[in-house]
Amino acid sequence: MITFLCALAALIVGFMVYSKIVDNAFGPTDNPTPAVVHDDGVDYIPLPTWKVFMIQLLNIAGLGPIFGALGGALWGPAVYFWIVLGTIFAGGVHDYLSGMISLREDGRSISEVVGHHMGGTMLFIMRIFSVVLLVLVGTVFMTGPAGLLAKLTGVAVTVVLPCVLLYYFLATLLPIDVLIARFYPLFGACLIIMALGIMCGMLFGVGDHIMPEMQLANLHPKGDAMPIWPLMFITVACGAISGFHSTQSPIMSRCLKTERLGRSVFYGAMVAEGIIALIWAAAGVTFYDGTGGLAKAMAAGGAGTVVYDICVGFMGGDGSMTGYIGATLAMLGVIACPITSGDTAFRSARLTLADWFGVAQSKALKRLLFAVPLLGIGGVLSQMNFDIIWRYFSWTNQTLAMIVLWTGATYLYRTKKDSKAWLMAAIPATFMSAVTFTYILQAKEGLQLGTSISYPAGIVFAVVCVLLFVKKVLHNDSFSENE
């Protein structure tokens, strides 16, 4: 319990202190925002701050901080370190910079932001990369909640899945204030109840479960066959840092009324997601009394069954009507997370394609031009094995995070180089470069090379990225923030 409470306190203090340092270094202004300048009643709409925060949180808090955190918990309480440090020094910085740079540049999609600062070749790569990732995310967050809803209601997945797909289509197509801004507060309430309920169930001893304390060891049931580096850092995904978030931040950069709200919305939502991930990682090893029990449960019924069992066990274990309602609300919170990320994943894919081809989105017919094929592809992919899609999503996700962090470092060097603010993005970018390259060399969906090759190769790749960054910024020292 002490370890968990210390990690929780570290996340809160990290937001209060480090996010302010990052915000001061970036330097928000009182200039008119894209929401005010380009208000089109569809994507550019000034919204109340609390709604923007809630939408941002629900956009980014998909299955990653739940399924990913449970997967990360297989390595034991050591995952707390990555959730805390990753959230504060990598994920929060990544989300803040992607949102604020987009805000400074008329709400551009992340692919356009990266291309603007990293060149034409990277622009093309990022356009493809972003759309592929977003469709994968939308698909993962379509099949996941459909399975959970089917388990909760008893209705067949084949019936639930088309309903989820229809909702995604409407959320992708309609103005942001029609569905998303209207229903997200309700989903947010479920999410908050879920997190608080699971945490209270652990802290106040529902059942005979005991929360484990920190051990600086690899407690994965498969031992050395599943090394912490780099597997845990990819598995946790959205609970510490996520490239997917950078595709979502521009959606909200088109709705903020002032730049000064960026810290609470972009950085704050990431810390809130880190807290959710911390709760679920702790719940996994607590409810199943260690990593061995968690691994058996994951193998037997998958992450969806584990989520269901934990919700019922920690919130409905007494068998009372109150407990049942609490467990149901917790499950709805878990379901709301992926649904509210899946819908905006497809929406962001539409905006990315619209920015790519220069097609204004104020008219419904032009939105249909992108929405229909995107949802069609997602529907086809939803028939694939969920675990396969998730593995490729995780690596693609963290690779995008690495690219965006390098973009943030480039932006900060060119605009704030005298303050050394660029180091706040360059350091986690270097770390994630090593993580992603090592993983794809080592993982079974990658080249399956041994650690004797993948470890040094990952370090070499990170060094190469640093050298390319230095070359990039030195050769473009004349960059202007208004360029």
Side-chain angles (χ1 to χ4, degrees):
M1 181 184 297
I2 294 175
T3 301
F4 172 80
L5 292 176
C6 288
L8 180 62
L11 283 169
I12 296 171
V13 172
F15 170 73
M16 295 171 63
V17 176
Y18 197 67
S19 71
K20 194 167 186 62
I21 294 173
V22 174
D23 192 51
N24 289 338
F26 186 88
T29 69
D30 294 315
N31 295 333
T33 62
V36 176
V37 176
H38 304 297
D39 188 350
D40 63 0
V42 178
D43 298 309
Y44 291 88
I45 301 178
L47 293 176
T49 306
W50 71 272
K51 279 194 174 184
V52 177
F53 172 83
M54 193 65 75
I55 295 171
Q56 175 71 5
L57 173 60
L58 291 170
N59 282 355
I60 66 176
L63 287 174
I66 301 174
F67 283 18
L70 287 171
L74 290 172
W75 282 273
V79 73
Y80 297 173
F81 271 117
W82 174 230
I83 291 173
V84 172
L85 297 177
T87 295
I88 298 302
F89 297 106
V93 174
H94 168 277
D95 289 15
Y96 176 86
L97 290 177
S98 60
M100 293 299 286
I101 297 173
S102 172
L103 191 151
R104 286 271 174 93
E105 300 181 1
D106 281 341
R108 282 177 170 175
S109 300
I110 194 61
S111 56
E112 307 303 308
V113 169
V114 172
H116 180 212
H117 298 284
M118 306 296 278
T121 300
M122 187 57 72
L123 172 61
F124 178 77
I125 293 172
M126 276 296 296
R127 282 170 169 170
I128 301 295
F129 204 83
S130 296
V131 173
V132 169
L133 174 63
L134 287 166
V135 172
L136 284 176
V137 169
T139 303
V140 166
F141 294 167
M142 185 190 308
T143 56
L148 291 172
L149 276 169
K151 191 170 187 64
L152 185 65
T153 62
V155 178
V157 174
T158 53
V159 176
V160 176
L161 190 60
C163 296
V164 175
L165 185 62
L166 175 61
Y167 167 75
Y168 282 4
F169 176 74
L170 294 174
T172 302
L173 187 68
L174 296 174
I176 197 167
D177 59 345
V178 172
L179 281 181
I180 293 176
R182 188 164 296 173
F183 288 102
Y184 273 36
L186 175 61
F187 291 149
C190 292
L191 176 62
I192 292 169
I193 290 171
M194 172 272 293
L196 293 177
I198 298 299
M199 183 173 69
C200 290
M202 289 189 295
L203 294 178
F204 299 110
V206 174
D208 299 323
H209 307 293
I210 298 175
M211 298 184 71
E213 300 298 346
M214 177 60 66
Q215 295 183 50
L216 295 177
N218 179 1
L219 301 182
H220 198 288
K222 294 183 179 179
D224 293 340
M226 297 293 287
I228 289 179
W229 175 272
L231 302 184
M232 186 186 75
F233 297 88
I234 293 291
T235 302
V236 173
C238 307
I241 180 172
S242 167
F244 169 66
H245 297 183
S246 68
T247 67
Q248 302 302 289
S249 294
I251 296 178
M252 290 297 95
S253 73
R254 304 181 186 206
C255 298
L256 276 178
K257 295 179 180 179
T258 170
E259 285 189 9
R260 300 192 184 278
L261 299 173
R263 173 179 170 243
S264 59
V265 170
F266 299 125
Y267 206 116
M270 179 62 236
V271 172
E273 184 176 17
I275 291 174
I276 294 170
L278 178 67
I279 290 171
W280 276 100
V285 291
T286 301
F287 185 78
Y288 292 101
D289 303 314
T291 59
L294 175 60
K296 290 179 182 178
M298 295 276 278
T305 298
V306 168
V307 167
Y308 180 83
D309 290 343
I310 289 175
C311 287
V312 173
F314 279 137
M315 296 189 68
D318 58 359
S320 66
M321 179 58 68
T322 301
Y324 176 77
I325 292 173
T328 301
L329 286 173
M331 277 294 291
L332 289 174
V334 174
I335 292 166
C337 280
I339 284 181
T340 53
S341 291
D343 58 7
T344 49
F346 284 113
R347 187 181 187 91
S348 183
R350 171 177 67 79
L351 294 173
T352 299
L353 289 172
D355 286 351
W356 183 352
F357 295 105
V359 179
Q361 296 291 280
S362 57
K363 296 186 182 299
L365 185 61
K366 291 185 177 181
R367 299 199 294 276
L368 279 169
L369 178 66
F370 298 118
V372 171
L374 285 170
L375 270 296
I377 293 171
V380 172
L381 290 176
S382 67
Q383 306 305 308
M384 291 179 60
N385 183 288
F386 176 86
D387 293 332
I388 294 175
I389 297 175
W390 180 263
R391 288 202 301 268
Y392 282 105
F393 154 69
S394 295
W395 177 77
T396 306
N397 185 44
Q398 302 303 65
T399 301
L400 178 58
M402 176 263 291
I403 295 171
V404 172
L405 279 170
W406 281 120
T407 302
T410 302
Y411 177 89
L412 289 174
Y413 180 87
R414 291 166 167 174
T415 60
K416 312 285 182 180
K417 62 181 178 180
D418 293 337
S419 67
K420 306 297 182 184
W422 55 273
L423 287 170
M424 294 187 297
I427 292 174
T430 303
F431 180 81
M432 292 307 299
S433 298
V435 168
T436 54
F437 195 72
T438 302
Y439 180 86
I440 201 60
L441 292 180
Q442 186 175 324
K444 58 183 178 181
E445 62 268 26
L447 299 181
Q448 302 182 42
L449 300 177
T451 56
S452 60
I453 298 175
S454 62
Y455 283 4
I459 295 173
V460 170
F461 180 75
V463 172
V464 170
C465 288
V466 171
L467 294 176
L468 290 174
F469 166 73
V470 172
K471 179 182 178 182
K472 178 75 176 176
V473 296
L474 289 180
H475 281 242
N476 294 272
D477 216 23
S478 61
F479 173 86
S480 167
E481 186 172 343
N482 297 318
E483 187 178 323

